[in-house]
Structure formats: C-alpha cells, structure tokens
Amino acid sequence: MNTHQKMKAVGAYQYLPISNPESLIDLHLDKPEPTGRDLLVRVKAISVNPADVGVRETHNYEAESPKILGWDAAGIVEQVGPDCQLFKPGDKVYYAGSVSRPGSNSEFHLVDERIVGNMPRSLDFAAAAALPLTSITAWEGLFDCLGISANTGENKNILIIGAAGGVGSIAIQLAKAAGLTVIGTASRPESIQWVKNLGVDFTINHNNAFHPQLKEVGIDAVDYIFCLNDTVQHLENMAEVIVPQGKICSIVPVNKATWAGSLKMDLLFSKSVTFVWEFMFTRSLFHTNDMMKQHELLNELANLIDDGKIKTTLTERLEPINAANLRLAHEKLESGRTIGKIVLEKF
C-alpha cells in the first residue's frame, strides 16, 4: 500500500438511516496499488444500485475500517498489475466490480481486468457508468439463465416484472433485440411511459392479478418471466401465467426473516417450470472459470451501444461525487420510485 498518496472516497463506519449525515461520510484513504490481474482505475463516474443500499444496511461493520460501497464505475486505467493482458494505462473502461472487495465510491479503484469492459466510444463517463451492473444482470438473466438466444424470439414472449428499474430498462432492450414480444410491468404513468419508450409491446400493473390483464391484450400465457421485484409477492401470479415447461429467472432473494414457507415452489411443480436465480457477482465472488465472460459481454454491449441498438438508462446526473450527493442518491433509491439510473460524476 502506498501511504504517501491519498485519495478521496465515500464510506461508512456503521449502519445509520440515510437521513443521518453520518450514514455516508467523506474520507481520505491511501491510494492502492495494483497487483496480479488488477487494474487501478481513476474513477470518473459512478452509479447507484439497490446493491449499494442492501450492503450498507446488512454489512457487519468493523469500526476501524470504513466500508466503501459502489458497484458501477467508468474511468481511465491509471496502472496495471504485472499479470494484466487486456488493458493498458490510458484505456477508458467501465465495470461493476466485485461485492467482496471495496466498492468504486473512491477516486482510485482496484478491479480484476476479467470483469472490466472497454467503454462505449459513443458515451461519456456518466452515461457509461449507468450501465455495467444492470446490463450484466440483464444479459446473464436472459441469455445464461433463461437460455434465450438471437433465434429464440419467433412467436415467443417474456414478462419482465419491475420493467422500469435499472435492470428492466436494459432487459427490455435486449429482449426486443432478440426478437421476443415483451410485456413489462409498471404501475405509474411515468414508469409506463418510460418502458414504452424503451420498446415494450404491452404493459400490465404488477399490483393487480396478472392473468386477467394478459387476457385483455390477447395473451394466454408467457414463455419466460424475468422477476426483478419481490419474488415472494409475485410467485402465485407467475405460476398462473407461465406456460408448461416455461422458465422463470429472479434476481430478488427471499428476505431471510420471512423465509419459513414464504416461497411456495410447489406452485411450479405441475407445469415442470424451470426456476433459476441470477446474481451478477457470482463470477467475481467465486472466481469462476468463466469470469472472463463479463469482460466479453461488456465489450459486446459497448458495440451494441455504439451501433445504436441499445441506449443508456441514465436519467439523472449529480455532481460532484461526495457523501452529500451519495446520501441524496441512496434516499431516492430507497423511495422505490426511481426510473432508470442515477449517476454521480467528478470528485
């Protein structure tokens, strides 16, 4: 660790409600040095995700070392570790990082190059920082977990529950590009308009029974479901509308406090439904053999963006990156009413 150079960062020493000024605080920490396959990235922009809020609330804090959050960043490679093969200093990159390491809410950040992509050429740092975590989640959920491919789409449909959020906003676009008919759930006029602008074919309200609403638009059952909101709450509706031998992917774990009997998986039994979880940190957390796939998909996504086939989901910019603005962003996220992504730029 280089103790001579300091960097700005935002972190927490304890969990406090976001309204408390001490919940996230401005820090000066030692600037780290890359080893192995790590890149040292000079962070230019970050975005906030529900993962940030979740880790802030559940992390077991040790008073002597602050927890640095943040799992979305865009920036410039400052230094590379001795074993790096994919990047060089000066490269513009974007990535989501690893939940098992310090997050990207710092001026300089270490990240394994195998989960980093070349930034889309057509975007600025803020627009790029909005993308990695949600795009990796949507990509892995649709293509790895649900098994959707470019030639799946003919006469197939997908229901995306919670379509107006960060992951849904990318999943809509990827599913449309794969040729599927997309039904998105949204409940407010502004979120309905947002998902329509992204290309959904039909919208239904996730606060009401799904089946009657689908029947109204001429759909009897759905081939795929991507659940991005409250798995327990929506399971009965999902079981009712999924086709026999259909596939459901969820990114929302069950709250441990309500675990007992809350996820009634037997509802899926008679239809032989495949149910699969997607957690985009699995590859980086367990250093899986296919970690490099996140590097490859981020590069592929950058090409789709530069070709105009996918657009960024950035909806709000805050400047600079500091504790006050991060508290504001967390507060907005915790309201559960955000559309698209909030990005902070410039330290």
Side-chain angles (χ1 to χ4, degrees):
M1 187 71 80
N2 184 341
T3 54
H4 301 296
Q5 282 188 287
K6 294 286 187 180
M7 64 174 182
K8 294 177 183 174
V10 178
Y13 281 97
Q14 59 182 316
Y15 169 69
L16 293 163
I18 202 64
S19 54
N20 189 313
E22 298 291 306
S23 58
L24 290 170
I25 55 175
D26 291 305
L27 302 164
H28 281 86
L29 302 177
D30 291 336
K31 178 182 169 184
E33 290 185 346
T35 58
R37 294 195 73 171
D38 277 350
L39 308 174
L40 180 70
V41 177
R42 181 186 288 270
V43 175
K44 294 291 192 179
I46 57 172
S47 78
V48 293
N49 292 286
D52 301 45
V53 175
V55 174
R56 198 186 94 246
E57 291 178 348
T58 58
H59 184 68
N60 294 321
Y61 291 89
E62 297 160 9
E64 67 275 9
S65 59
K67 180 67 180 174
I68 309 300
L69 305 171
W71 290 282
D72 257 341
I76 299 169
V77 176
E78 181 92 353
Q79 278 177 264
V80 299
D83 302 328
C84 284
Q85 303 160 19
L86 304 173
F87 298 96
K88 62 187 186 305
D91 287 345
K92 292 181 178 179
V93 294
Y94 73 143
Y95 58 89
S98 169
V99 77
S100 60
R101 303 183 69 178
S104 58
N105 295 350
S106 59
E107 214 172 348
F108 294 93
H109 186 232
L110 290 179
V111 61
D112 190 301
E113 66 169 355
R114 288 168 289 184
I115 56 172
V116 175
N118 292 288
M119 205 173 102
R121 294 183 307 279
S122 56
L123 298 184
D124 65 9
F125 290 108
L131 289 164
L133 185 144
T134 54
S135 299
I136 294 168
T137 304
W139 192 290
E140 290 181 351
L142 294 174
F143 305 133
D144 297 349
C145 298
L146 291 173
I148 291 164
S149 64
N151 50 17
T152 297
E154 203 59 44
N155 300 321
K156 295 279 188 178
N157 60 30
I158 185 169
L159 172 64
I160 299 173
I161 300 171
V167 177
S169 300
I170 296 291
I172 290 167
Q173 299 181 72
L174 291 176
K176 284 302 295 178
L180 276 72
T181 297
V182 179
I183 308 112
T185 79
S187 59
R188 293 175 289 134
E190 58 269 36
S191 55
I192 291 167
Q193 191 55 54
W194 171 258
V195 298
K196 282 182 176 172
N197 292 347
L198 290 171
V200 298
D201 298 289
F202 306 103
T203 62
I204 64 172
N205 187 326
H206 42 245
N207 297 320
N208 303 326
F210 293 177
H211 194 246
Q213 296 182 81
L214 289 172
K215 293 274 283 187
E216 273 180 34
V217 295
I219 295 169
D220 280 326
V222 291
D223 301 294
Y224 304 99
I225 297 177
F226 199 12
C227 181
L228 314 176
N229 175 283
D230 203 330
T231 308
V232 175
Q233 180 191 332
H234 298 301
L235 189 66
E236 287 187 33
N237 270 313
M238 291 194 283
E240 187 179 9
V241 301
I242 192 76
V243 297
Q245 301 168 333
K247 292 183 179 178
I248 298 172
C249 175
S250 177
I251 69 165
V252 185
V254 177
N255 181 338
K256 286 186 180 69
T258 62
W259 174 256
S262 57
L263 201 58
K264 300 179 177 68
M265 298 304 286
D266 276 7
L267 292 170
L268 308 176
F269 178 74
S270 64
K271 288 185 177 177
S272 299
V273 170
T274 299
F275 183 97
V276 59
W277 296 108
E278 155 60 16
F279 182 53
M280 64 123 316
F281 292 117
T282 298
R283 284 175 164 143
S284 56
L285 194 56
F286 295 98
H287 280 78
T288 59
N289 293 333
D290 63 352
M291 244 176 101
M292 183 80 87
K293 283 206 167 174
Q294 292 194 343
H295 164 72
E296 292 162 1
L297 77 81
L298 284 170
N299 281 351
E300 214 173 319
L301 179 77
N303 291 335
L304 289 171
I305 287 161
D306 290 337
D307 291 344
K309 291 173 180 166
I310 301 287
K311 54 189 176 186
T312 183
T313 51
L314 166 65
T315 48
E316 186 174 357
R317 294 175 187 247
L318 298 172
E319 193 182 312
I321 302 169
N322 61 19
N325 277 333
L326 265 168
R327 286 196 300 272
L328 177 63
H330 276 235
E331 200 168 3
K332 287 171 186 271
L333 263 191
E334 287 180 17
S335 77
R337 297 173 70 83
T338 51
I339 294 171
K341 293 299 296 288
I342 304 166
V343 173
L344 289 78
E345 51 189 332
K346 300 173 186 169
F347 275 96

